[in-house]
Each structure stands twice: as structure tokens, then as C-alpha cells.
Amino acid sequence: MALEVYWGSGSPYAWRVLLALEVKQIAYESIRLGFNKEELKSEKYLAINPRGKVPAIRDGAVTVHESIAILRYLEDIKPEPVLFGSNPVERSKIWCAIMEVTNYIEPYVRDYAITIFYGKLPDEKQIAITARTAIEKELVNINDHLRNKDYLAHEALSAADIVLYPVLSFLFRAANKENTEEISGTLRSIDECYPGIGAWQKRIESIPGYEKTYPPHWKA
Ligand SMILES: N[C@@H](CCC(=O)N[C@@H](CS)C(=O)NCC(=O)O)C(=O)O
């Protein structure tokens, strides 16, 4: 029985899982869920992910939720190509980069995107600006690193890249939707302001199978 993947279009967390499956060339059955109570909070889905969120996977009798836990599970069932490093030094660097994304970037991206996608502007303008300013600081550091390195934490593609890429794509999509300078700042000018990140994005986008993972409703 193929591994079942439950995902939602545009979820950066679900996108991580789809990317890792392509990189590792693991066959899977794709189950796309809508962002509504009927699908995410159904008894059937809550048995797979008790939090009723995407992504989740089912592999025979095993269910896993939380995107990074799923990436780690995929590494265990199919170790090649290695995404979590091959020795303590590599692993510590990769995990450090992953935790930095989840602790210092993700919360601000969430705050920023909510103000834009949930129509909270202009009332919550200050939340968006504060989040954007914090994110820009992180992007400067990441861009400095990527100026002379191809990947985030390691000389080859790693789980850290797969964790960060969808979060940044989601962020830039939000910034492009809101076209005032005050809200979007530098986030609409990646190639000019963060050329290292722009080049790294293109590297990820050249992964075979990448197109299959791109959120379908973003194509429209
Ligand atoms: N920390 C979780 C986050 C999962 C998450 O928040 N998923 C969102 C989509 S981006 C979701 O399913 N939201 C629906 C809901 O909460 O009802 C992960 O990494 O998997």
C-alpha cells in the first residue's frame, strides 16, 4: 500500500512534505484536503492527525503529523538522498538551521500573512510592519550566507532548505498581494535586495518533480 499524504494547497508545511517526497523519490498517494471543518475536522481525518491540520501521512499502521517530524520519518524509511546529515557536525548544523526557521522566521511570517490574507489591513498595519521588519533582518543574514554557499546548512540540499523554502514562498506571495511600499518593504524585490536567496530559490525550483509540488491554486 502506498504511503498516503494529506495536504492542502498553499500550506507551506504541507509543501515541505511534498518536496521531500520528490527529492527522495518515494511513491505516494496524494490526498488533497480543503481548508474547511468538514474535511480537516472529520472523525476520519482526526484519527490521522488529532489536531486536524495538514500535513499528515499514513504509512500502513503508522500515522505522523507535524511537517518536520514527517520529514524525519521519510529519512528513516528512505535514507537516500540524505537530508538530515551524515555525522554529528552536519546534523547539528541542519537542526540548528531548522530550529532557527521555526523559532525566528515562521512566527513572523504567520503574523504578516494573516494581516494580508485575512483582510486585517489597515487596522493591523503595525503588526504587519513589525513582522516584516523582523523578517527582513533574518533575510539579510540568510542572504549573506547564501552569497557564497549553495544551500542553507550544508554543501548539499538538506532538510533545512526544504523547511525554509515554502515558508519564504508563502511570505513573498503575501508581500506581492499587498502592494504598498509600507507593508511589503523589500519583500517584493528578492533578486535585487537578496540575490543570494533569489539564486537559492532557483536551485530548489530545479529539483526534479518540483512542479508537481507547487500549490495548484497559486497557478490560477
Ligand atoms: N506545525 C505544523 C503546522 C500545520 C498547520 O498549521 N497547518 C495549517 C495549514 S498551513 C492547517 O492545517 N490549518 C487548518 C486549521 O488549523 O484548521 C506543521 O509543521 O505541520
Side-chain angles (χ1 to χ4, degrees):
M1 203 170 72
L3 182 136
E4 293 171 357
V5 181
Y6 296 82
W7 60 284
S9 182
S11 160
Y13 311 108
W15 197 355
R16 291 171 175 167
V17 174
L18 299 175
L19 273 173
L21 288 161
E22 292 304 326
V23 170
K24 288 192 170 282
Q25 297 189 4
I26 297 173
Y28 63 94
E29 184 186 337
S30 160
I31 300 140
R32 177 180 169 183
L33 299 180
F35 289 101
N36 55 64
K37 272 209 292 225
E38 290 68 34
E39 291 184 62
L40 287 178
K41 315 294 177 200
S42 69
E43 222 174 284
K44 196 170 154 225
Y45 187 59
L46 290 174
I48 295 162
N49 180 354
R51 290 196 184 267
K53 292 177 186 286
V54 284
I57 60 165
R58 177 156 61 188
D59 187 19
V62 179
T63 58
V64 190
H65 62 279
E66 285 299 319
S67 55
I68 297 166
I70 297 171
L71 298 192
R72 188 51 247 188
Y73 178 82
L74 299 178
E75 180 94 342
D76 282 336
I77 62 166
K78 185 141 192 277
E80 301 288 338
V82 173
L83 288 178
F84 281 88
S86 305
N87 59 54
V89 174
E90 287 176 10
R91 277 195 283 275
S92 66
K93 290 211 166 95
I94 293 165
W95 275 109
C96 180
I98 291 173
M99 297 318 293
E100 292 203 313
V101 174
T102 62
N103 288 323
Y104 307 119
I105 299 181
E106 237 176 71
Y108 294 115
V109 170
R110 210 175 296 130
D111 283 356
Y112 183 76
I114 284 172
T115 64
I116 293 170
F117 291 135
Y118 293 176
K120 297 190 181 230
L121 295 173
D123 293 358
E124 296 192 1
K125 193 173 87 174
Q126 203 42 56
I127 294 178
I129 293 171
T130 303
R132 194 253 296 157
T133 310
I135 293 163
E136 285 174 329
K137 272 195 199 150
E138 297 296 324
L139 293 185
V140 168
N141 291 337
I142 293 173
N143 187 61
D144 281 349
H145 172 86
L146 289 173
R147 245 199 260 272
N148 43 35
K149 296 261 190 321
D150 285 350
Y151 295 102
L152 196 60
H154 186 40
E155 68 271 8
L157 178 82
S158 79
D161 301 290
I162 290 177
V163 166
L164 179 63
Y165 175 86
V167 172
L168 292 192
S169 300
F170 181 70
L171 166 72
F172 300 148
R173 184 173 161 85
N176 279 305
K177 185 164 188 282
E178 180 52 52
N179 59 11
T180 63
E181 186 63 41
E182 193 182 23
I183 300 297
S184 55
T186 60
L187 300 181
R188 281 182 300 153
S189 316
I190 301 313
D191 287 332
E192 298 83 68
C193 299
Y194 310 102
I197 294 179
W200 167 83
Q201 282 183 297
K202 288 176 192 71
R203 242 166 258 133
I204 308 286
E205 287 155 14
S206 69
I207 292 171
Y210 168 85
E211 278 305 323
K212 274 171 69 186
T213 70
Y214 192 81
H217 85 276
W218 289 12
K219 289 179 191 161

